[in-house]
Structure formats: structure tokens, C-alpha cells
Amino acid sequence: QVQLVESGGGLMQAGGSLRLSCAASGRFVSINTMAWYHQAPGKQRELVASIMSTGSTNYGDSVKGRFTISRDNAKNTVYLQMNDLKPEDTAVYYCNARILVRWGARWDAYWGQGTQVTVSS
């Protein structure tokens, strides 16, 4: 069974930094795109940033220039470095990954349990 386990959330003042980590574990043969989403109360879950296995990245407009996504393929881990945090970044952050559990199977999307990030003004 595949699991994504996030860590690194917490409370931070505006202007501060946090680093989130998400490690994939279990039985699988390959990971394609890894991504971070966030969901604020009463709002839809939206993409923060994504990174392909090639290293190509994509960012949501609200975080461009402040957040950096990276991954360590040897550790099956994706990171989100969040700088210059703003109160509007407050949300639950979810890790997402497209994973192939065996050759010949389809790629499936997996989600972490979420980690709370709260930014105070």
C-alpha cells in the first residue's frame, strides 16, 4: 500500500519561512509528477506547485517568486520551501503524487493526510 506522509507545517509570522516535506513509501515502481495543493476553509483545493520527474516545475500565481518546489528521487520525497509567508497562505497543505504500483498498471493519484500551515499577521 502506498502512503504519502507530510511534515513541516506549523504556525509562523508573516514574512517568515517554512519547509514542508512529503515522503512516499510502500510498494511501487515509479513516481511521476509530485505536487502540493492547499485548501483554505470554505475554499476549493488548489494547486500550489508541481514538479515532474524530469525536474520541470509549475507554480500557482499566488506563490510565484516566494515558494520553491523540489524533489529527491532517491528518497521519493518532495519539498516545498515557503518564504515570505503571508496570512493568505494559511491553509491545509496536501501532498499529491502520481504513482505506478507495478509495470503495466495505470498511474494513480495518491494524497497525503495534510498538514496545517497558519500564518499570523
Side-chain angles (χ1 to χ4, degrees):
Q1 186 175 355
V2 176
Q3 283 190 315
L4 298 179
V5 179
E6 299 125 334
S7 61
L11 175 64
M12 179 57 65
Q13 288 187 330
S17 298
L18 283 173
R19 189 192 195 207
L20 305 183
S21 299
C22 170
S25 63
R27 298 177 65 88
F28 53 88
V29 297
S30 186
I31 303 176
N32 193 341
T33 303
M34 304 185 83
W36 290 96
Y37 287 73
H38 67 193
Q39 187 168 19
K43 295 187 177 181
Q44 289 189 330
R45 191 173 298 187
E46 61 181 19
L47 178 70
V48 176
S50 64
I51 183 167
M52 298 180 67
S53 57
T54 58
S56 177
T57 59
N58 181 51
Y59 293 92
D61 288 341
S62 65
V63 305
K64 285 179 180 177
R66 299 189 298 122
F67 291 10
T68 302
I69 190 170
S70 60
R71 64 190 284 174
D72 184 334
N73 291 329
K75 296 181 178 179
N76 298 317
T77 300
V78 62
Y79 306 96
L80 186 68
Q81 179 65 43
M82 304 185 293
N83 297 330
D84 190 22
L85 283 161
K86 302 177 180 181
E88 50 264 42
D89 295 321
T90 295
V92 178
Y93 283 71
Y94 296 92
C95 174
N96 170 274
R98 289 183 59 81
I99 294 176
L100 190 68
V101 296
R102 64 182 182 279
W103 299 115
R106 67 179 188 182
W107 292 90
D108 280 330
Y110 291 83
W111 293 90
Q113 79 285 357
T115 185
Q116 177 70 45
V117 171
T118 302
V119 184
S120 62
S121 58

